[in-house]
Every structure is written in C-alpha cells, then in structure tokens.
Amino acid sequence: MIILYFYLFDRVFFIKSNAYQLLGYDEVQQLINRISSNTPKLAEALMSPANGVPLNVMVTVLQRLLQSEVPIIDMRTIAEKMIEVWSKSKDPEALVEGVRISLKKLIIYSMCANRNEVAVGVLDQELAQILQGSIQQNQASGEKIMMIEPTLTERIYTRLLEFVQKCEVDSLTPIILVTSELRFLLEKLFKSSIPNIHFLSHQEIPDD
C-alpha cells in the first residue's frame, strides 16, 4: 500500500508539473465556452475580432501559467486582465506578467496556504546586477535571453539546489524573490531541473 501511495503521488506530481503540455487549442476553447455561459459580455470582449485577444496568444499565456504551476481556475480574472493588458500592449510576455500580478493572492495561497508570512530567498545584489545586465533580445525569436557563462550558470544551479534542500529541512516552500524580468528568465533556466523551486517577482507579493 505504501508503494502504491508513492507511485500515485509521483503520477500526480508529474501531471501537475507537465499540465501545460496537455493544454491546447481545444482545451482553451472549452474554457472560453464556460466564460461565455457565465459572463457572455466578457467572452464577447475577449474574442472580439477587432480588439480581442487572439486564441493562439491565449493558449501561450495559459500554458506559461501552468508551466509556472500557477492555477488557472479563476478564468474570469485571467480573461479580464488579458483584455486590459492586450489593449495597451501586444506583447505576450506583458500579458503573462499582468495576469500573474492579478492572481497574486491565488499564487501565494497555492504555495503557502494560509500562512501570514512568506519566507523567501533573495539574490546577492552583485549577482542580481550581473544577471540583469546580461539580458539581451534574441533577434531570431524575439524573446529575451540571459547571456551568462556556463560556469556561472552551474554555480547558480548549485546554490539554488542547496537553498531548496535547506527549505525542505525547515519545512518551507522554496521561493526566490526577484525582479519580474529575472523571474521568467531564471525560471526558464532552472525550473525544469529544480521543479520544486518557485520564482516570484516583487509585484506578485500581496500587500498583506
């Protein structure tokens, strides 16, 4: 029975950490249909041919949220924020950041439940400046990337792994607090190899 329990636990963790790969156009359309049933005007604005958010962009945003283990259960808030941000910027990255900030209470709750305080790790100031200065625009993909030495990447990976292990001993959720720009890039570099770690930006911490 114990073996079965751990087997099932591993299966659930695998599905959770890979949920973004299971979300495609059909699944997102189903979510939109639910919005349409409950709040038709919101769905109309979301799918408006003139000013609405394209379906492929919505798929990308929702996949990115799931990849970061952000719950997408509050689709009304997600849809409202996507419409608001898309009217000002056609950058999918800005959409993701805007939605994450609007879901900050849900994000924190999913990580720390009802704790009144959240313990976080922060980067050394000099390291943060180096990483911030290494951000460049990839001309081929149009995405931002960090150009850092492999040896520095390995050292950061080792320290992050040590941080996660210390948090596990102290029964804490491993959270690194960084700028919004670094959050996405660090997550892209290290989340797949250290799935237990979470990266949050300062704007994603609720005021209370």
Side-chain angles (χ1 to χ4, degrees), residues 40-93:
K41 289 295 183 183
L42 177 60
E44 184 180 330
L46 182 65
M47 297 297 292
S48 166
N51 304 308
V53 184
L55 183 60
N56 65 311
V57 174
M58 283 190 268
V59 171
T60 298
V61 170
L62 293 175
Q63 286 178 339
R64 286 274 303 279
L65 292 173
L66 288 176
Q67 197 169 7
S68 301
E69 297 181 34
V70 175
I72 59 172
I73 56 176
D74 187 359
M75 279 302 300
R76 178 169 184 165
T77 297
I78 292 172
E80 289 173 348
K81 182 54 67 171
M82 283 199 291
I83 293 169
E84 177 189 335
V85 176
W86 191 252
S87 67
K88 303 171 185 175
S89 171
K90 298 300 186 281
D91 180 10
E93 188 63 37

Side-chain angles (χ1 to χ4, degrees), residues 25-189:
Y25 285 81
D26 290 340
E27 290 75 22
V28 172
Q29 186 61 58
Q30 290 173 19
L31 293 173
I32 295 170
N33 292 342
R34 291 179 189 173
I35 296 174
S36 184
S37 298
N38 299 323
T39 51
K41 289 295 183 183
L42 177 60
E44 184 180 330
L46 182 65
M47 297 297 292
S48 166
N51 304 308
V53 184
L55 183 60
N56 65 311
V57 174
M58 283 190 268
V59 171
T60 298
V61 170
L62 293 175
Q63 286 178 339
R64 286 274 303 279
L65 292 173
L66 288 176
Q67 197 169 7
S68 301
E69 297 181 34
V70 175
I72 59 172
I73 56 176
D74 187 359
M75 279 302 300
R76 178 169 184 165
T77 297
I78 292 172
E80 289 173 348
K81 182 54 67 171
M82 283 199 291
I83 293 169
E84 177 189 335
V85 176
W86 191 252
S87 67
K88 303 171 185 175
S89 171
K90 298 300 186 281
D91 180 10
E93 188 63 37
L95 272 184
V96 174
E97 291 303 321
V99 170
R100 285 183 61 106
I101 292 171
S102 70
L103 296 175
K104 58 187 177 182
K105 287 186 178 292
L106 180 60
I107 291 174
I108 290 295
Y109 181 82
S110 69
M111 293 179 184
C112 307
N114 288 320
R115 293 181 186 174
N116 293 324
E117 295 182 349
V118 179
V120 300
V122 294
L123 299 182
D124 173 81
Q125 187 174 359
E126 184 177 352
L127 174 60
Q129 290 174 348
I130 291 173
L131 294 178
Q132 198 72 43
S134 72
I135 298 174
Q136 298 182 17
Q137 193 79 18
N138 186 326
Q139 298 301 324
S141 64
E143 295 182 349
K144 292 179 180 179
I145 57 174
M146 281 195 299
M147 299 294 292
I148 54 178
E149 294 291 334
T151 53
L152 179 56
T153 304
E154 291 175 7
R155 279 159 43 203
I156 295 173
Y157 171 80
T158 300
R159 292 304 299 275
L160 289 177
L161 203 56
E162 291 172 353
F163 173 71
V164 169
Q165 292 168 347
K166 184 180 187 306
C167 287
E168 288 175 349
V169 170
D170 296 336
S171 298
L172 296 171
T173 303
I175 300 172
I176 299 291
L177 189 64
V178 291
T179 64
S180 58
E181 203 169 26
L182 285 179
R183 184 205 60 74
F184 165 63
L185 294 171
L186 288 172
E187 186 176 83
K188 191 174 181 180
L189 272 177

